[in-house]
Amino acid sequence: MHRDANCSTVRVVPLSPCSDERNEPPHIHVATPDGECQFWLEPVLLARHKNVAPHVVREMEQLVYENYDLLLEAYHEYHGQ
């Protein structure tokens, strides 16, 4: 997932699972040059964000919706489910 808007880049980054991530519902981490967001996938919902402008969060959320099937499949592959 990638989109350039107003010279900012939005991309999904695979992060190594933390010890507590196995206890969390399916989710993704999305990084920007300025910060990061985490979105739950079932249902799609912003879990947390840091240093990301509200309009960028909305853009990320739209990308998550547009790529939902791909993201959920990749999540399950990454976590061996």
Side-chain angles (χ1 to χ4, degrees), residues 1-43:
M1 180 170 76
H2 178 272
R3 178 180 290 175
D4 288 330
N6 300 325
C7 300
S8 65
T9 300
V10 175
R11 61 187 172 87
V12 172
V13 293
L15 299 177
S16 298
C18 298
S19 60
D20 64 341
E21 285 208 0
R22 295 266 182 215
N23 297 323
E24 293 184 350
H27 65 279
I28 60 164
H29 298 265
V30 184
T32 72
D34 299 321
E36 179 185 337
C37 290
Q38 179 180 2
F39 287 92
W40 304 132
L41 294 175
E42 295 181 324

